[in-house]
Amino acid sequence: MTITKFGQCCLLIEIEGRRVLTDPGRFSREQDNLTDLDLVLITHEHADHLHTESLEKIVKNNPEATIVTNSAVGVILSDVGLEHVVLEGEESAELAGLHIEAYDGKHVEIFEEVGQVQNTGYFIAGELFYPGDAYTDPEKTVPVLALPVSGPWCSSADALRYAIEVNPNKAFPVHDYVLNEEGMNLVHNMFKNVLTDRNIEFISLKNNETRVF
């Protein structure tokens, strides 16, 4: 499995001969020119995860790609005329030849009810769990975890406890675009040190980098 990271949480995942994109948000534009996509997974409606103008360009360049999301995002997509498949709750489906499992989980609190929208994480082909902005434990073996490490709702302590609870074989950082280079290095190294002591391999992945998992 190969993963390329664009901006905040937009990931190009190449797995089992398929190309999957997650959360094309407003902090990146590299996704606008991608081709040969099979699936686009959208966890929730916040602008750093969903940018409809970008998504329209993606659909234009990938007319055969299937957009997969939850009901709340689906309302927004219907309003702009974008076809999609709803996969939420604890549903699963075979899509583009991949087994995709949905895991609804409460968006981590920003402040009281601010930003509390429906959030749906996705387990991709039994290899990668991407929770969106939630600390959802799929309660099964997780080979690779996309781990939120920064943001207005994300404390390092809570994120580390979440990773330790899920106990993946490997983890890599998402939701860190607003950090400058020094801040990103500091956060990534701290997560690496703590998780390595718990036998979890933490692989630093920065904007526009590609890694093999």
Side-chain angles (χ1 to χ4, degrees):
M1 176 173 61
T2 299
I3 299 175
T4 304
K5 181 179 175 182
F6 303 122
Q8 181 88 315
C9 288
C10 185
L11 306 172
L12 173 62
I13 303 151
E14 299 175 89
I15 182 171
E16 296 183 10
R18 301 292 188 266
R19 286 164 60 86
V20 180
L21 191 73
T22 66
D23 283 356
R26 68 182 181 91
F27 290 145
S28 57
R29 288 294 177 274
E30 292 87 350
Q31 70 267 19
D32 293 1
N33 298 316
L34 294 176
T35 58
D36 299 322
L37 295 176
D38 298 289
L39 292 177
V40 180
L41 305 177
I42 303 173
T43 61
H44 63 290
E45 64 195 69
H46 288 164
D48 55 336
H49 296 258
L50 171 63
H51 184 255
T52 55
E53 291 180 9
S54 179
L55 188 57
E56 287 171 339
K57 294 176 182 177
I58 292 168
V59 169
K60 182 178 179 180
N61 291 330
N62 300 272
E64 301 302 317
T66 301
I67 301 173
V68 182
T69 191
N70 57 35
S71 297
V73 174
V75 171
I76 297 170
L77 299 188
S78 293
D79 286 345
V80 295
L82 291 174
E83 296 184 2
H84 57 278
V85 172
V86 171
L87 194 69
E88 60 189 7
E90 296 182 356
E91 299 172 337
S92 63
E94 300 295 322
L95 297 164
L98 296 173
H99 186 64
I100 307 296
E101 300 169 76
Y103 286 86
D104 272 17
K106 184 177 177 62
H107 192 292
V108 180
E109 182 186 7
I110 299 170
F111 179 70
E112 296 179 348
E113 292 304 308
V114 173
Q116 285 299 308
V117 298
Q118 183 183 8
N119 180 97
T120 304
Y122 291 104
F123 211 138
I124 304 167
E127 291 295 324
L128 170 65
F129 183 54
Y130 172 49
D133 288 3
Y135 293 145
T136 306
D137 185 352
E139 298 183 347
K140 62 193 300 184
T141 299
V142 176
V144 181
L145 173 66
L147 176 62
V149 299
S150 181
W153 50 266
C154 179
S155 77
S156 295
D158 289 342
L160 285 165
R161 291 188 185 99
Y162 169 62
I164 292 166
E165 178 185 16
V166 174
N167 193 31
N169 296 329
K170 300 178 181 180
F172 67 91
V174 294
H175 217 281
D176 57 0
Y177 181 77
V178 297
L179 297 175
N180 63 20
E181 184 175 358
E182 289 185 1
M184 190 172 295
N185 288 335
L186 175 67
V187 169
H188 287 195
N189 287 335
M190 186 267 291
F191 272 73
K192 182 176 182 178
N193 290 337
V194 173
L195 294 180
T196 296
D197 287 343
R198 271 70 172 184
N199 297 314
I200 298 170
E201 182 181 0
F202 184 82
I203 301 171
S204 177
L205 184 64
K206 298 179 180 179
N207 191 32
N208 291 318
E209 284 188 345
T210 301
R211 295 291 182 94
V212 176
F213 290 82

